[in-house]
Amino acid sequence: MAGQEQPRQAPGFDQLDPFNLRKAQSCIHCGLCLEHCPTYRETGNEAASPRGRIYLMRAVAGGRMGMTQAFVDQMYLCLDCRACESACPSGVPYGQLVEAARGQIERNRRRPWWQSRLRQLVYAQLLPSPALLALAFWPARFYLALARRWPVERLLPSRLRALSELLPREIGAPFWPAHYQQVPAQGQARRRLAFFSGCVMSFALPDVHRVTLQVLARAGCAVETPPEQTCCGALAVHAGERGIARALARRNIAVFEKLGVDQVVVNSAGCGAMLKEYGELLARDHQYAERAHRFAHQVKDVSEVLFELPRPPMRPLPVKVAYDEPCHLQHGQRISAQPKQLLQEVPGLELVKLPGADRCCGSAGIYNLTQPAMSQRLLAQKVQAVQDSGAQVVATGNPGCILQIRRGLRQAGSPIPVVHPVELLDQAQRGT
Amino acid sequence: MDHTKLISDLIRVVGQGAVLYRPEELLVYEADGHTIDKAAPRAIVLPSSTEQVSQVLRYLHQTGIPFVPRGAGTGLSGGSLALENGVVVCTARMRRILEVDIPNLRAVVEPGVANIRLSQEVGHGYAYAPDPSSQAACSIGGNVAENSGGPHCLKHGFTTNHVLGVELVLPEGEVVMLGGKAEEYPGLDLRGFVIGSEGTLGVVTKVMVRLVRVPEAVKTLLAVFDTVDSATRTVSDIIAAGVIPSALEMMDHVVIQAVERSPVAAGYPLDAAAVLLIELDGPPEGFDWEMAQVREICQRHQAREVRVAKDDKERALLWRGRKHAIGAVGALATAFYTQDGVIPRKRLPELLALVADVAKRYQLTIGNVFHAGDGNLHPLIVYDANDGDAPRRVQQAGGEIMAACVAAGGSLSGEHGIGLEKREYMPLLFSGADLAAMAQARAAFNPDGRCNPGKVFPTSTGCGEVGAITKPGVLPAVA
Ligand SMILES: Cc1cc2nc3c(=O)[nH]c(=O)nc-3n(C[C@H](O)[C@H](O)[C@H](O)COP(=O)(O)OP(=O)(O)OC[C@H]3O[C@@H](n4cnc5c(N)ncnc54)[C@H](O)[C@@H]3O)c2cc1C
Ligand code: SF4
Ligand code: SF4
């Protein structure tokens, strides 16, 4: 226990971006969320549970303790998966609370200079810039070509290896929004939509974007993809970099407002959940608060949009599919029935039962890089469940989960592919 | 004893990561579902096996350190608080279902298994019957310790009716088996003694439970009333008519508001004074008669509406509100305190009137959500956690209600246990000789009182003094 900090000497919460104690106090300590929390189930530690974490936040907010290392550890061991939110009968907005607490941590605790610099670089410069991302993915492709031939992965330091394992083995050409500014509807045009393409996904899973536009077009949507859009800011918010996230949010709002469409469609659960929370993120920005709310209401997951539209003809796709619920879709946006229903309607497609489909796979943004041990434990359970389910394909609507589960299955030597649900719809519609 | 040595010794038994001792970690164990009283432990141990529990208890015995068992910490009477700065022995890592034996209708589980998980994993039309409203989280070990009930215990019985045997580690580390997998054992029923003993006899490390067939047919009704009185009279009349519903639950106006404003909204009418949730189950034959009876009685008492759930989905929705009613009070206020008195059913109307009067006098909001069929009240006092004076008023109000329940020929607690919270009220119900007999029986298992000290039995000091019984935590106390 040597070197332990004195709880009260660590910095407390500031008033710059005030922590909403009232919201934290809507937690009445009933404990009904406990079993839903992956980190509690794994550790049995109440401090690693939603109720415990909220209790700690309240203790800091009330001046009982400061933001000690143990506090920081628990805030970052949290996956921000928000399973606890769905479970909570009192409606405690846990995601907002933990994100605010991380903001407090990043503003008030000092990190080593290189870490602060790296965070700035990644969240404020790399992710928002397609050009830099393209540059970053260039060596990645080169590296993958190498890795396909030689076991270079083993030579990497562990963090980099984890990153490398997450890369898909084959990456298609990047998705450049400028090439898809206007995609017309096929047949009768029913809706005009804008497409949010985000940051990393355009490089890591570019084909999912292309397929999404196709599927939307077949459903009668004319889709615009504004090239000036930028990263949604979710990764920044998860990392407590709220200032950076706000800047990105303002830019996205301004860009999409100009298009004058009714809906903004997104195919990444993580981005969708973030975009839908712009209202909260910018609540104290007088210029943007209202616009942010309006924008947030326009955002729709691709499954929500497709669900409302007539289905194009499909050919049979006889395959057993395990649907895995992305946390930021089922908990963050409360969407679960629509994607499953869409898949179920594909002739020949059989949805198999995937026990624990509602449990986090350990991807959680970049959690798999920052908390590799916990992430691996959750991933191992997911992989086991998939293998026991008898599924031939896994479908899940979030890029992080796709990459994470792919990596897990690959490590386990399983050939089961992991795809986005729209890819299966596309296949059935094309009949190939 | 030297704290650092204690921690490193415990780590030697259960391993790194299974002993929690940082001040922040101790802090989160200072309360359970009952938040008025707080007491932080000096350490928390998370054993993974009976063997480890036994070694930990043996060590604590040798060093003379008090301890308290803890499951999920959803208890509502402060039962798992570590008084006397003891060590918490928590079962959160003992969560294996060891055996499911459907032909013989029984299962063996570790104590940390969450109640609902057992029924989920058994499946195939079988289940574990006791269904406390906290079942999504509470542990089977905690259920055993509290002899927990639930909405369906009216017909199907409490925990004690569904536990065949327990493996118990005594406070000195010895492992004993009380009862077992068979239906009946001769000799003293020590199994029955452990069930409901509130963690004062040792740590339960295995539970052999009975499984039941899920009823063939179920009907769920929601009856809506404009006065609380007519709802409670309906309850008495249903039972008097010889109908035994599998559940008969009441929620009043305040609770309806909480539920309907929360994410678990179930569609209860906001302007109703009370609703009854009535469930009938069994073979479909007897049903029509029972249904007709229930409907007729509801109408006789001017039920404004009687809604019958059309399918499983509607049924689940009606239950969702009731099952989460206590958890949903966060939609109304920032803290709650619930009472658990039991009264003869026919005194329900006057007791509820008294509760309303107490609420007015103490300027508190009190809702009622309860197992009406059992006469088991849960006056739910909601208050503002930031109001420094509230806990005092809340506990005094609670005390009056408890005294009234006992005076009406009832009891202090139906299912939440006495724990820390109600211990000073025990003399209302028991004579000195009664309590001494209980204490002697407890001492046979727990001779030096190190296992869950300060619970169930009254201390010599007066009645329900706020703050007098709790210790300051490791960190300074601020609301
Ligand atoms: C929202 C809500 C609704 C509730 N609804 C109901 C209800 O409908 N019916 C009902 O009966 N209760 C209800 N409760 C109360 C509570 O859930 C039960 O008392 C439950 O059995 C406690 O289980 P736990 O695992 O949380 O135990 P804890 O709170 O951890 O402990 C409770 C007591 O059991 C002892 N204990 C725990 N595990 C062991 C063990 N392995 N060996 C020995 N002693 C042990 C502890 O020392 C303590 O005294 C509710 C609580 C909440 C918060
Ligand atoms: S977060 Fe919700 S479910 Fe969890 S303890 Fe708090 S009120 Fe209960
Ligand atoms: S967000 Fe997920 S990991 Fe974090 S407390 Fe809630 S359930 Fe646990």
Side-chain angles (χ1 to χ4, degrees), chain A residues 169-201:
Chain A
R169 300 293 97 168
E170 306 268 353
I171 309 185
F175 175 92
W176 295 105
H179 299 172
Y180 301 89
Q181 281 194 47
Q182 308 269 353
V183 175
Q186 291 179 19
Q188 184 203 347
R190 295 193 173 85
R191 270 193 204 176
R192 237 187 88 226
L193 307 170
F195 178 58
F196 180 85
S197 56
C199 57
V200 180
M201 200 170 162

Tab-separated table of all heavy atoms in Angstrom, chain A residues 169-201:
chain	number	residue	atom	x	y	z
A	169	ARG	N	-7.893	-8.091	-42.164
A	169	ARG	CA	-6.769	-8.630	-42.936
A	169	ARG	C	-6.718	-8.061	-44.356
A	169	ARG	O	-5.674	-7.998	-44.972
A	169	ARG	CB	-6.831	-10.155	-42.981
A	169	ARG	CG	-6.765	-10.800	-41.621
A	169	ARG	CD	-5.428	-10.624	-40.927
A	169	ARG	NE	-5.400	-9.524	-39.970
A	169	ARG	CZ	-4.433	-9.305	-39.083
A	169	ARG	NH1	-3.391	-10.110	-39.021
A	169	ARG	NH2	-4.484	-8.287	-38.253
A	170	GLU	N	-7.858	-7.706	-44.877
A	170	GLU	CA	-7.894	-7.109	-46.225
A	170	GLU	C	-8.649	-5.793	-46.089
A	170	GLU	O	-9.727	-5.768	-45.518
A	170	GLU	CB	-8.700	-7.985	-47.187
A	170	GLU	CG	-8.266	-9.417	-47.261
A	170	GLU	CD	-7.247	-9.639	-48.366
A	170	GLU	OE1	-7.012	-8.675	-49.143
A	170	GLU	OE2	-6.683	-10.748	-48.436
A	171	ILE	N	-8.106	-4.727	-46.593
A	171	ILE	CA	-8.829	-3.465	-46.537
A	171	ILE	C	-9.079	-2.975	-47.952
A	171	ILE	O	-8.147	-2.881	-48.760
A	171	ILE	CB	-8.042	-2.382	-45.775
A	171	ILE	CG1	-7.578	-2.927	-44.424
A	171	ILE	CG2	-8.892	-1.145	-45.574
A	171	ILE	CD1	-6.896	-1.898	-43.545
A	172	GLY	N	-10.331	-2.674	-48.266
A	172	GLY	CA	-10.666	-2.137	-49.575
A	172	GLY	C	-10.178	-0.698	-49.700
A	172	GLY	O	-9.662	-0.109	-48.739
A	173	ALA	N	-10.353	-0.112	-50.874
A	173	ALA	CA	-9.957	1.287	-51.080
A	173	ALA	C	-10.762	2.172	-50.151
A	173	ALA	O	-11.927	1.895	-49.883
A	173	ALA	CB	-10.224	1.674	-52.523
A	174	PRO	N	-10.146	3.238	-49.620
A	174	PRO	CA	-10.860	4.104	-48.686
A	174	PRO	C	-12.167	4.642	-49.270
A	174	PRO	O	-12.320	4.741	-50.485
A	174	PRO	CB	-9.881	5.255	-48.443
A	174	PRO	CG	-8.555	4.740	-48.832
A	174	PRO	CD	-8.774	3.690	-49.874
A	175	PHE	N	-13.085	4.958	-48.370
A	175	PHE	CA	-14.354	5.571	-48.771
A	175	PHE	C	-14.158	7.081	-48.686
A	175	PHE	O	-14.000	7.637	-47.594
A	175	PHE	CB	-15.449	5.116	-47.804
A	175	PHE	CG	-16.780	5.771	-48.022
A	175	PHE	CD1	-17.738	5.179	-48.847
A	175	PHE	CD2	-17.106	6.975	-47.396
A	175	PHE	CE1	-18.979	5.778	-49.043
A	175	PHE	CE2	-18.334	7.578	-47.589
A	175	PHE	CZ	-19.269	6.969	-48.421
A	176	TRP	N	-14.126	7.743	-49.827
A	176	TRP	CA	-13.977	9.206	-49.826
A	176	TRP	C	-15.346	9.825	-50.050
A	176	TRP	O	-15.931	9.675	-51.114
A	176	TRP	CB	-13.021	9.661	-50.930
A	176	TRP	CG	-11.613	9.174	-50.718
A	176	TRP	CD1	-11.000	8.159	-51.394
A	176	TRP	CD2	-10.659	9.675	-49.786
A	176	TRP	NE1	-9.721	7.972	-50.938
A	176	TRP	CE2	-9.480	8.892	-49.946
A	176	TRP	CE3	-10.666	10.685	-48.825
A	176	TRP	CZ2	-8.339	9.108	-49.168
A	176	TRP	CZ3	-9.522	10.889	-48.064
A	176	TRP	CH2	-8.378	10.116	-48.239
A	177	PRO	N	-15.875	10.542	-49.050
A	177	PRO	CA	-17.217	11.115	-49.193
A	177	PRO	C	-17.370	11.916	-50.484
A	177	PRO	O	-18.434	11.901	-51.112
A	177	PRO	CB	-17.343	12.009	-47.967
A	177	PRO	CG	-16.432	11.396	-46.961
A	177	PRO	CD	-15.294	10.788	-47.739
A	178	ALA	N	-16.301	12.574	-50.898
A	178	ALA	CA	-16.394	13.420	-52.092
A	178	ALA	C	-16.846	12.612	-53.310
A	178	ALA	O	-17.480	13.141	-54.218
A	178	ALA	CB	-15.051	14.087	-52.363
A	179	HIS	N	-16.545	11.307	-53.324
A	179	HIS	CA	-16.944	10.480	-54.466
A	179	HIS	C	-18.395	10.046	-54.396
A	179	HIS	O	-18.914	9.423	-55.302
A	179	HIS	CB	-16.067	9.215	-54.554
A	179	HIS	CG	-14.625	9.534	-54.753
A	179	HIS	ND1	-13.636	8.582	-54.692
A	179	HIS	CD2	-13.999	10.711	-54.992
A	179	HIS	CE1	-12.457	9.169	-54.877
A	179	HIS	NE2	-12.659	10.453	-55.066
A	180	TYR	N	-19.030	10.296	-53.266
A	180	TYR	CA	-20.408	9.803	-53.087
A	180	TYR	C	-21.332	10.935	-52.653
A	180	TYR	O	-22.267	10.713	-51.912
A	180	TYR	CB	-20.433	8.698	-52.026
A	180	TYR	CG	-19.564	7.519	-52.372
A	180	TYR	CD1	-18.223	7.495	-51.990
A	180	TYR	CD2	-20.074	6.452	-53.104
A	180	TYR	CE1	-17.414	6.425	-52.310
A	180	TYR	CE2	-19.270	5.375	-53.427
A	180	TYR	CZ	-17.935	5.363	-53.029
A	180	TYR	OH	-17.140	4.304	-53.351
A	181	GLN	N	-21.031	12.154	-53.118
A	181	GLN	CA	-21.795	13.285	-52.600
A	181	GLN	C	-23.287	13.140	-52.836
A	181	GLN	O	-24.090	13.523	-52.009
A	181	GLN	CB	-21.281	14.575	-53.205
A	181	GLN	CG	-20.004	15.011	-52.510
A	181	GLN	CD	-19.626	16.428	-52.833
A	181	GLN	OE1	-20.466	17.305	-52.782
A	181	GLN	NE2	-18.379	16.633	-53.190
A	182	GLN	N	-23.649	12.634	-54.008
A	182	GLN	CA	-25.070	12.446	-54.305
A	182	GLN	C	-25.265	11.043	-54.839
A	182	GLN	O	-24.783	10.727	-55.907
A	182	GLN	CB	-25.517	13.406	-55.426
A	182	GLN	CG	-25.180	14.858	-55.187
A	182	GLN	CD	-26.301	15.580	-54.473
A	182	GLN	OE1	-27.365	15.005	-54.279
A	182	GLN	NE2	-26.066	16.819	-54.081
A	183	VAL	N	-25.958	10.209	-54.100
A	183	VAL	CA	-26.307	8.897	-54.622
A	183	VAL	C	-27.820	8.873	-54.809
A	183	VAL	O	-28.562	9.020	-53.843
A	183	VAL	CB	-25.866	7.775	-53.654
A	183	VAL	CG1	-26.348	6.410	-54.151
A	183	VAL	CG2	-24.352	7.788	-53.500
A	184	PRO	N	-28.277	8.747	-56.070
A	184	PRO	CA	-29.719	8.836	-56.319
A	184	PRO	C	-30.453	7.585	-55.839
A	184	PRO	O	-29.857	6.511	-55.735
A	184	PRO	CB	-29.811	8.940	-57.847
A	184	PRO	CG	-28.544	8.333	-58.350
A	184	PRO	CD	-27.501	8.539	-57.296
A	185	ALA	N	-31.750	7.758	-55.598
A	185	ALA	CA	-32.583	6.613	-55.229
A	185	ALA	C	-32.757	5.723	-56.446
A	185	ALA	O	-32.733	6.205	-57.578
A	185	ALA	CB	-33.931	7.097	-54.735
A	186	GLN	N	-32.934	4.426	-56.214
A	186	GLN	CA	-33.287	3.544	-57.318
A	186	GLN	C	-34.797	3.442	-57.344
A	186	GLN	O	-35.422	3.219	-56.325
A	186	GLN	CB	-32.661	2.167	-57.129
A	186	GLN	CG	-31.151	2.219	-57.283
A	186	GLN	CD	-30.503	0.865	-57.070
A	186	GLN	OE1	-31.172	-0.161	-57.145
A	186	GLN	NE2	-29.207	0.886	-56.816
A	187	GLY	N	-35.354	3.614	-58.515
A	187	GLY	CA	-36.820	3.607	-58.612
A	187	GLY	C	-37.379	4.874	-57.990
A	187	GLY	O	-36.723	5.924	-57.969
A	188	GLN	N	-38.557	4.734	-57.420
A	188	GLN	CA	-39.244	5.902	-56.879
A	188	GLN	C	-38.490	6.456	-55.669
A	188	GLN	O	-38.167	5.720	-54.741
A	188	GLN	CB	-40.655	5.462	-56.456
A	188	GLN	CG	-41.503	6.600	-55.955
A	188	GLN	CD	-42.633	6.090	-55.054
A	188	GLN	OE1	-42.916	4.900	-55.007
A	188	GLN	NE2	-43.253	7.015	-54.349
A	189	ALA	N	-38.189	7.771	-55.664
A	189	ALA	CA	-37.474	8.372	-54.540
A	189	ALA	C	-38.457	8.640	-53.407
A	189	ALA	O	-39.439	9.346	-53.582
A	189	ALA	CB	-36.796	9.667	-54.976
A	190	ARG	N	-38.218	8.045	-52.270
A	190	ARG	CA	-39.141	8.212	-51.144
A	190	ARG	C	-38.603	9.204	-50.115
A	190	ARG	O	-39.351	9.858	-49.423
A	190	ARG	CB	-39.364	6.870	-50.448
A	190	ARG	CG	-40.062	5.861	-51.302
A	190	ARG	CD	-40.531	4.704	-50.439
A	190	ARG	NE	-41.345	3.802	-51.224
A	190	ARG	CZ	-40.832	2.834	-51.982
A	190	ARG	NH1	-39.538	2.640	-52.035
A	190	ARG	NH2	-41.634	2.064	-52.687
A	191	ARG	N	-37.304	9.241	-49.980
A	191	ARG	CA	-36.725	10.088	-48.945
A	191	ARG	C	-35.420	10.706	-49.410
A	191	ARG	O	-34.712	10.116	-50.216
A	191	ARG	CB	-36.394	9.247	-47.718
A	191	ARG	CG	-37.528	9.182	-46.773
A	191	ARG	CD	-37.100	8.636	-45.469
A	191	ARG	NE	-38.303	8.094	-44.856
A	191	ARG	CZ	-38.344	7.449	-43.714
A	191	ARG	NH1	-37.231	7.239	-43.066
A	191	ARG	NH2	-39.464	7.017	-43.220
A	192	ARG	N	-35.150	11.883	-48.855
A	192	ARG	CA	-33.834	12.485	-49.072
A	192	ARG	C	-33.110	12.477	-47.738
A	192	ARG	O	-33.634	12.992	-46.747
A	192	ARG	CB	-34.012	13.920	-49.547
A	192	ARG	CG	-33.347	14.204	-50.888
A	192	ARG	CD	-33.421	15.681	-51.215
A	192	ARG	NE	-32.289	16.388	-50.664
A	192	ARG	CZ	-32.376	17.534	-49.993
A	192	ARG	NH1	-33.538	18.101	-49.773
A	192	ARG	NH2	-31.294	18.120	-49.542
A	193	LEU	N	-31.947	11.876	-47.718
A	193	LEU	CA	-31.218	11.716	-46.459
A	193	LEU	C	-29.786	12.194	-46.601
A	193	LEU	O	-29.268	12.309	-47.711
A	193	LEU	CB	-31.112	10.241	-46.081
A	193	LEU	CG	-32.347	9.386	-46.002
A	193	LEU	CD1	-31.935	7.932	-45.855
A	193	LEU	CD2	-33.164	9.813	-44.813
A	194	ALA	N	-29.166	12.446	-45.462
A	194	ALA	CA	-27.726	12.677	-45.480
A	194	ALA	C	-27.061	11.493	-44.795
A	194	ALA	O	-27.638	10.876	-43.905
A	194	ALA	CB	-27.399	13.959	-44.732
A	195	PHE	N	-25.856	11.169	-45.226
A	195	PHE	CA	-25.138	10.022	-44.663
A	195	PHE	C	-23.962	10.507	-43.840
A	195	PHE	O	-23.148	11.314	-44.298
A	195	PHE	CB	-24.668	9.111	-45.797
A	195	PHE	CG	-23.875	7.918	-45.325
A	195	PHE	CD1	-24.433	7.010	-44.433
A	195	PHE	CD2	-22.594	7.690	-45.790
A	195	PHE	CE1	-23.717	5.900	-43.990
A	195	PHE	CE2	-21.865	6.584	-45.356
A	195	PHE	CZ	-22.429	5.687	-44.456
A	196	PHE	N	-23.873	9.989	-42.631
A	196	PHE	CA	-22.733	10.317	-41.787
A	196	PHE	C	-21.703	9.209	-41.922
A	196	PHE	O	-21.981	8.056	-41.589
A	196	PHE	CB	-23.172	10.461	-40.326
A	196	PHE	CG	-22.035	10.792	-39.425
A	196	PHE	CD1	-21.622	12.112	-39.253
A	196	PHE	CD2	-21.322	9.790	-38.777
A	196	PHE	CE1	-20.535	12.414	-38.455
A	196	PHE	CE2	-20.232	10.088	-37.971
A	196	PHE	CZ	-19.843	11.402	-37.814
A	197	SER	N	-20.517	9.550	-42.434
A	197	SER	CA	-19.533	8.495	-42.687
A	197	SER	C	-18.431	8.428	-41.629
A	197	SER	O	-17.705	7.435	-41.553
A	197	SER	CB	-18.915	8.668	-44.074
A	197	SER	OG	-18.348	9.959	-44.194
A	198	GLY	N	-18.284	9.471	-40.814
A	198	GLY	CA	-17.361	9.406	-39.680
A	198	GLY	C	-15.895	9.410	-40.054
A	198	GLY	O	-15.504	9.964	-41.071
A	199	CYS	N	-15.085	8.767	-39.220
A	199	CYS	CA	-13.631	8.864	-39.447
A	199	CYS	C	-13.009	7.524	-39.824
A	199	CYS	O	-12.921	7.171	-40.988
A	199	CYS	CB	-12.958	9.468	-38.218
A	199	CYS	SG	-13.255	8.591	-36.672
A	200	VAL	N	-12.661	6.738	-38.830
A	200	VAL	CA	-11.862	5.530	-39.088
A	200	VAL	C	-12.589	4.541	-39.994
A	200	VAL	O	-11.978	3.838	-40.791
A	200	VAL	CB	-11.499	4.838	-37.752
A	200	VAL	CG1	-10.680	3.591	-37.995
A	200	VAL	CG2	-10.738	5.793	-36.871
A	201	MET	N	-13.919	4.495	-39.877
A	201	MET	CA	-14.663	3.480	-40.606
A	201	MET	C	-14.456	3.602	-42.115
A	201	MET	O	-14.451	2.605	-42.838
A	201	MET	CB	-16.142	3.583	-40.255
A	201	MET	CG	-16.908	2.305	-40.555
A	201	MET	SD	-18.549	2.385	-39.860
A	201	MET	CE	-19.342	1.079	-40.805
